[in-house]
Structure formats: C-alpha cells, structure tokens
Amino acid sequence: METVELKVEMVGIHEKRLRKCLSKLKGIEKVEVDVNSQKVVVTGYAHRNKILKAIRRGGLKADFWSPQNELLSVYASASYGSLGFNNVNFF
C-alpha cells in the first residue's frame, strides 16, 4: 500500500469534485483532505502518477506535496493570520 501526498488548489466545492475524481480510480482505500493547507493524502494501491492525472483531469490544479509546501503554509499562516484589515480603507 502506498501513501501519496498532493497539494491541490481548492476552494469551496472543490473537495467534492476531488473526491469524485478519485472515486473513479481502482485501488484507493482512503482520502484525507486538509482544506486549510490544501493538502490531500491518498492511501491505496493506485500509482501516484495516475492519481495526479485523475485530479488534473477533473479540472483541479495539483502537484506532489513537497517539504517546501509545508514551510510556506506555516509561514503564511503565521505572517498573515495575525494581520487585521477590518479597520483599513484602501480607497
């Protein structure tokens, strides 16, 4: 059994589309989705390239997860999570 980690750009209803794309592949046991970090973990017997191809064929932007993605996600949430733009007028 293989575990494949992917970075998938998701907003709103894209999680449902993602699960539908992956349900068509044979050999997938489990799909875990973290919408905040845009990370998808697929566990099963399907080949990693077929998983990526199925997601892209469904119209979603995807790539294999790398440690750099983890660092960027943590940095972005720490840097921009504490900023408040409620009382700022840009125009």
Side-chain angles (χ1 to χ4, degrees):
M1 191 166 334
E2 183 179 5
T3 301
V4 180
E5 296 179 338
L6 302 154
K7 178 174 175 56
V8 181
E9 292 185 19
M10 290 184 290
V11 286
I13 198 165
H14 286 172
E15 182 178 353
K16 186 176 180 181
R17 185 189 303 174
L18 170 77
R19 290 186 184 275
K20 185 177 180 181
C21 294
L22 293 175
S23 69
K24 296 177 183 179
L25 288 177
K26 293 182 181 179
I28 293 184
E29 300 289 325
K30 184 168 72 169
V31 177
E32 298 174 30
V33 179
D34 183 0
V35 179
N36 293 333
S37 64
Q38 298 185 346
K39 183 176 183 178
V40 177
V41 179
V42 181
T43 306
Y45 296 100
H47 192 271
R48 57 186 290 138
N49 290 336
K50 287 188 177 186
I51 295 170
L52 180 63
K53 190 174 183 178
I55 294 171
R56 288 181 176 171
R57 193 176 288 157
L60 298 169
K61 293 182 181 180
D63 205 355
F64 294 115
W65 188 265
S66 69
Q68 182 181 9
N69 293 336
E70 190 78 36
L71 291 173
L72 291 174
S73 175
V74 170
Y75 177 76
S77 65
S79 297
Y80 301 115
S82 62
L83 294 177
F85 291 106
N86 295 339
N87 298 328
V88 178
N89 292 325
F90 291 104
F91 300 102

